[in-house]
Amino acid sequence: MKFSGIHHIALYTNDMKAQLEFFTQVLGFKLATIFDLHTDTASGVICFIEVAEDCYITFLNNAGVKVE
C-alpha cells in the first residue's frame, strides 16, 4: 500500500473555544464540522478544522479528560 497523506490528527483540548478562534480567525483555516460526542465511554465535543483538501486537525473536548 502506498502512503498518500494523513486524513486527520486528533488532539484533546480543555478549551475548544480558544482552539477554534486560533485556527479559524488567526490562521484562517475553515471549520469543517463540530458536533457533540456521546459514546458508552465518552461525552464531549469534537470539531474538524480543514487545513488542506482532505486534511484536518481534529480537537476533542471530553468531559472526563483534562489536558495538562
Side-chain angles (χ1 to χ4, degrees):
M1 173 159 65
K2 182 180 175 186
F3 181 74
S4 62
I6 296 172
H7 182 267
H8 72 278
I9 293 175
L11 304 168
Y12 277 100
T13 182
N14 292 330
D15 192 346
M16 182 69 77
K17 183 176 184 265
Q19 299 299 344
L20 288 172
E21 287 176 357
F22 179 75
F23 281 91
T24 60
Q25 295 174 14
V26 176
L27 297 181
F29 296 134
K30 177 185 165 191
L31 174 61
T33 189
I34 186 168
F35 55 90
D36 289 330
L37 172 68
H38 297 287
T39 68
D40 291 341
T41 59
S43 179
V45 177
I46 185 169
C47 76
F48 285 78
I49 297 172
E50 185 175 19
V51 298
E53 185 177 341
D54 293 327
C55 183
Y56 303 88
I57 296 174
T58 303
F59 287 102
L60 298 110
N61 181 279
N62 186 326
V65 176
K66 295 295 178 202
V67 181
E68 295 292 324

